[in-house]
């Protein structure tokens, strides 16, 4: 298990790939990797076993709880500190101040962003597609936090050269933030552009006072040996980005 370096002591952040030593076999070639999503027509028992395997990986760091959610490309964020009733959470952001509680976010081209404060007592995890970035998922998640985040880490997402969008998407951002013209390159077709999700997220994070932004150097679309990609293969699995505060108990 690999973790992001350069974070406050006791904070563990990372992202799964299509590989895992305890990956269950699949009869569907498009889901043959370490899929962690229940909504992609995979065998639910297989997915749950993958999730349990991941929890087992985390146990040596004091993790005894993982929270997943039904992600909806929204700006909804929840603070999760206590045990939840058996109800599915909907939204795209999670915050906790509780040690030993892993926050999980699934992606396959959208941008996962992890946030945390300077002293390692509060963390957040969010799912940011272009709609979420435009509508305020970063801002809403930071507002949900009790302390100001000082760092962020961006997991694997689709890179600019592979992310073609229409002019209406570009206008959505540039009408709100004129400075984001630099995050778009003209495409080969009229009215088409290539969007840089990493650059957009960095700009918004900086506006919110988050000056240390790590990651943002992977491409889920081109790195087929590491990541699932919805744009590359519409029928595919999902990776999970995680963050937790190590429990000393």
């Amino acid at each position: 298990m690999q973790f992001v370096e350069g974070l406050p002591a006791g904070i563990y952040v990372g992202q799964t790939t299509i590989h895992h030593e305890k990956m269950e076999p699949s009869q569907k070639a498009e889901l043959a990797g370490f899929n962690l999503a229940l909504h992609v027509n995979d065998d639910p028992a297989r997915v749950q076993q993958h999730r349990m395997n991941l929890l087992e990986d985390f146990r040596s760091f004091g993790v005894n709880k993982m929270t997943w959610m039904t992600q909806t490309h929204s700006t909804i964020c929840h603070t999760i500190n206590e045990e939840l009733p058996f109800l599915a959470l909907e939204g795209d952001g999670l915050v906790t101040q509780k040690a030993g509680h892993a926050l999980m976010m699934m992606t396959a081209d959208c941008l996962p962003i992890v946030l945390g404060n300077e002293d390692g007592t509060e963390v957040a995890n969010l799912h940011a597609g272009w709609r979420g970035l435009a509508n305020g998922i970063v801002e809403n998640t930071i507002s949900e936090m009790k302390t100001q985040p000082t760092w962020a880490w961006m997991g694997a997402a689709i890179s600019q050269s592979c992310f073609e969008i229409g002019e209406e998407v570009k206008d959505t951002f540039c009408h709100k933030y004129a400075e984001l013209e630099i995050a778009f390159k003209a495409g080969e077709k009229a009215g088409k552009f290539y969007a840089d999700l990493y650059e957009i997220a960095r700009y918004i994070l900086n506006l919110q006072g988050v000056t240390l932004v790590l990651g943002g150097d992977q491409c889920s679309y081109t790195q087929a040996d590491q990541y699932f990609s919805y744009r590359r293969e519409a029928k595919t699995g999902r990776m999970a980005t995680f963050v937790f505060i190590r429990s000393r108990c």
Side-chain angles (χ1 to χ4, degrees):
M1 180 65 62
Q2 291 187 330
F3 300 110
V4 177
E5 298 180 353
L7 301 180
I11 300 298
Y12 291 80
V13 173
Q15 186 175 31
T16 64
T17 69
I18 62 173
H19 306 289
H20 192 280
E21 61 181 359
K22 294 183 179 179
M23 183 171 60
E24 295 290 313
S26 174
Q27 296 181 348
K28 299 178 180 179
E30 67 272 17
L31 298 172
F34 191 61
N35 171 50
L36 291 159
L38 289 165
H39 67 284
V40 297
N41 294 319
D42 201 349
D43 178 359
R46 178 177 186 264
V47 176
Q48 293 291 11
Q49 186 59 55
H50 284 175
R51 292 184 176 190
M52 291 304 297
N53 291 343
L54 199 56
L55 178 58
E56 195 60 33
D57 291 342
F58 296 160
R59 284 197 189 280
S60 61
F61 300 94
V63 174
N64 54 28
K65 171 72 175 175
M66 301 169 77
T67 293
W68 305 78
M69 65 193 321
T70 300
Q71 298 165 210
T72 59
H73 293 273
S74 69
T75 60
I76 299 170
C77 183
H78 301 272
T79 294
I80 306 297
N81 283 320
E82 304 301 330
E83 291 293 326
L84 294 171
F86 193 70
L87 295 173
L89 281 176
E90 289 192 3
D92 292 273
L94 292 169
V95 175
T96 193
Q97 300 90 33
K98 186 177 177 65
H101 191 149
L103 306 180
M104 313 300 296
M105 208 59 63
M106 295 178 292
T107 57
D109 283 338
C110 287
L111 175 60
I113 303 175
V114 177
L115 300 163
N117 64 2
E118 186 174 16
D119 57 5
T121 58
E122 184 175 36
V123 292
N125 198 353
L126 64 97
H127 160 249
W130 75 261
R131 290 179 181 83
L133 285 173
N135 293 329
I137 183 60
V138 173
E139 295 92 324
N140 281 12
T141 302
I142 290 175
S143 294
E144 183 73 15
M145 298 177 73
K146 295 183 181 298
T147 58
Q148 170 65 33
T150 57
W151 58 266
W153 179 78
M154 301 187 294
I158 191 168
S159 63
Q160 182 174 22
S161 62
C162 303
F163 189 34
E164 186 183 63
I165 50 89
E167 190 168 11
E168 73 284 356
V169 176
K170 176 179 179 291
D171 289 346
T172 297
F173 285 103
C174 294
H175 287 166
K176 188 175 182 180
Y177 304 115
E179 296 84 352
L180 281 179
E181 286 282 348
I182 62 171
F184 299 90
K185 292 181 180 178
E188 292 78 16
K189 302 174 185 176
K192 296 294 183 180
F193 296 84
Y194 291 99
D196 189 340
L197 289 176
Y198 291 131
E199 183 63 31
I200 293 168
R202 284 191 194 96
Y203 177 82
I204 295 172
L205 287 163
N206 289 166
L207 278 185
Q208 295 296 310
V210 183
T211 55
L212 177 61
V213 182
L214 306 172
D217 57 356
Q218 302 289 294
C219 178
S220 53
Y221 186 94
T222 60
Q223 293 173 251
D225 61 334
Q226 293 290 314
Y227 304 117
F228 295 112
S229 168
Y230 181 79
R231 282 217 170 190
R232 190 179 64 237
E233 300 172 281
K235 294 182 178 180
T236 192
R238 299 292 186 273
M239 296 87 69
T241 294
F242 59 84
V243 58
F244 58 85
I245 304 170
R246 182 168 188 162
S247 175
R248 302 297 179 181
C249 299

